[in-house]
Amino acid sequence: MASIGTAFQLEGIGNHLWVVISAPTQEGRVVCVNLTDSKNYPDSPCHLKVGDHAFITKPSAVMYKGAKLLRAAEIDARIASGHVKRHPDFSPGILKAIIAGAFVSDDMTMSLQSYLKQIP
């Protein structure tokens, strides 16, 4: 099941990589954020560089203002059907930086922040 660190890309809708940044809720929902070109979101509190993940080929930023609460089972079903492409999971160190950025981002809603836990 899609869980913290799961990386995926929606087929046919841009080239953005999404990552799950929360454990599933009791209802099976997870918080997801996507990456974008750093030039498009210079104020993001979390910027990633080439090598931080196999998908990243240019300086990237985590787009907290587009965060979504999605059903983990739906992500899994879309991966199985080919509508979503699975990518390697994010490493714990990069996840820690992404989640830390979520807590200081002015663009991440408090309701979505409430689902997150800091990684020690």
Side-chain angles (χ1 to χ4, degrees):
M1 174 153 73
S3 59
I4 190 164
T6 298
F8 60 95
Q9 180 183 19
L10 304 176
E11 292 295 316
I13 305 176
N15 292 322
H16 296 291
L17 183 69
W18 288 81
V19 59
V20 176
I21 62 169
S22 73
T25 65
Q26 289 181 337
E27 298 80 28
R29 294 181 184 271
V30 291
V31 177
C32 303
V33 292
N34 73 293
L35 305 183
T36 191
D37 188 309
S38 283
K39 295 176 192 173
N40 297 333
Y41 194 39
D43 294 334
S44 175
C46 184
H47 288 266
L48 304 176
K49 61 186 182 308
V50 175
D52 284 343
H53 185 274
F55 182 87
I56 299 173
T57 59
K58 60 186 172 185
S60 300
V62 179
M63 178 79 79
Y64 296 104
K65 64 182 168 187
K68 300 193 181 310
L69 189 60
L70 302 174
R71 291 187 181 278
E74 175 125 357
I75 295 169
D76 294 336
R78 289 179 177 250
I79 289 170
S81 72
H83 289 94
V84 166
K85 183 178 179 184
R86 178 80 189 256
H87 286 274
D89 289 354
F90 274 77
S91 70
I94 300 301
L95 277 171
K96 182 177 181 176
I98 293 171
I99 293 168
F103 282 109
V104 298
S105 174
D106 292 334
D107 293 327
M108 173 70 86
T109 66
M110 290 181 76
S111 64
L112 289 179
Q113 284 175 343
S114 70
Y115 294 103
L116 306 179
K117 290 191 170 93
Q118 292 277 10
I119 296 176

